[in-house]
Amino acid sequence: MTEKEKMLAGKIYDSSDKELAELRAKAHKLSQQYSSLYEDDERRNAILDELLPDHGEGFFLQGPVYFDYGVFTKFGSGCYANFNLTVLDTCPVTIGDNVFFGPNCTIATPVHPFRWQERNMKKKSDGTVYDDEYGKPITIHSNCWIASNVVITGGVTIGEGCVICAGSVVTRDIPPNSLAAGNPCRVIREITEEDSIKYKAELF
């Protein structure tokens, strides 16, 4: 297996691998270029197509954005992300249709060893620095709202129609149509018809 194949399969891989280093450098440059442009600058669309080639129609990232690779993240149609979306996609990140992100959200697939003896940086015989790490994929199904300052960790699947409340740290799967909050994030209750805004007269 190549180091990229190992990484995407969730195995220990060499992060100093030349192919991976070049992919990261490209994604970091494209993220910076995108973030430096005003939101009505049409050049942003071309940058997004290169940074995130697997995306649906009508999705918008406010910026600034930060992607580790970009090419390993898939966005569906109609998605929106507010300021400061960070995606560390060492494993595949799959985002469905109509998923909304509040400001300062982080999607982090990387996992590091718990023991420092295995986690600390190491040197190869040629002086190249590397570390042992691996990752776990993240899936966010369609029609979810991920509110401000949410962190989603590797290996998590969020079911369709969920609301993840602000400040949550999602470390386990969340079933569909759940209102969930906290650190660690837990299901509060199911979202039902009674949550419709049509029953909130004070809003109209």
Side-chain angles (χ1 to χ4, degrees), residues 93-129:
V93 172
T94 304
I95 300 167
D97 298 330
N98 301 305
V99 176
F100 295 173
F101 294 91
N104 305 313
C105 287
T106 297
I107 300 172
T109 67
V111 183
H112 296 278
F114 286 177
R115 299 185 72 244
W116 64 264
Q117 295 91 337
E118 299 169 333
R119 185 177 60 247
N120 286 359
M121 301 300 291
K122 305 168 182 63
K123 275 189 179 181
K124 298 179 182 178
S125 57
D126 64 0
T128 302
V129 177

Side-chain angles (χ1 to χ4, degrees), residues 59-87:
F59 92 116
F60 182 77
L61 307 182
Q62 182 70 49
V65 297
Y66 310 93
F67 285 86
D68 224 4
Y69 292 94
V71 293
F72 305 132
T73 296
K74 177 181 179 180
F75 277 92
S77 299
C79 293
Y80 171 82
N82 215 313
F83 303 106
N84 291 317
L85 176 68
T86 298
V87 181

Side-chain angles (χ1 to χ4, degrees), residues 7-176:
M7 181 183 78
L8 293 173
K11 299 181 181 296
I12 297 290
Y13 70 97
D14 180 0
S15 58
S16 70
D17 175 73
K18 181 180 178 182
E19 180 183 16
L20 293 177
E22 289 175 352
L23 284 172
R24 282 195 307 273
K26 179 180 179 181
H28 297 170
K29 289 176 183 177
L30 290 171
S31 295
Q32 187 173 17
Q33 290 170 10
Y34 182 87
S35 301
S36 69
L37 297 173
Y38 292 119
E39 60 191 66
D40 58 355
D41 193 317
E42 293 184 357
R43 289 176 292 175
R44 275 184 154 203
N45 295 327
I47 294 172
L48 274 189
D49 288 342
E50 189 172 359
L51 177 61
L52 301 165
D54 196 352
H55 68 77
E57 295 296 321
F59 92 116
F60 182 77
L61 307 182
Q62 182 70 49
V65 297
Y66 310 93
F67 285 86
D68 224 4
Y69 292 94
V71 293
F72 305 132
T73 296
K74 177 181 179 180
F75 277 92
S77 299
C79 293
Y80 171 82
N82 215 313
F83 303 106
N84 291 317
L85 176 68
T86 298
V87 181
L88 306 182
D89 52 348
T90 58
C91 263
V93 172
T94 304
I95 300 167
D97 298 330
N98 301 305
V99 176
F100 295 173
F101 294 91
N104 305 313
C105 287
T106 297
I107 300 172
T109 67
V111 183
H112 296 278
F114 286 177
R115 299 185 72 244
W116 64 264
Q117 295 91 337
E118 299 169 333
R119 185 177 60 247
N120 286 359
M121 301 300 291
K122 305 168 182 63
K123 275 189 179 181
K124 298 179 182 178
S125 57
D126 64 0
T128 302
V129 177
Y130 75 101
D131 70 325
D132 287 326
E133 65 177 80
Y134 58 104
K136 296 180 181 180
I138 291 173
T139 300
I140 304 172
H141 287 282
S142 297
N143 304 310
C144 288
W145 173 25
I146 313 299
S148 303
N149 298 298
V150 168
V151 176
I152 301 170
T153 63
V156 163
T157 295
I158 298 176
E160 182 170 2
C162 286
V163 174
I164 309 299
C165 296
S168 296
V169 179
V170 188
T171 60
R172 65 187 76 179
D173 292 352
I174 305 295

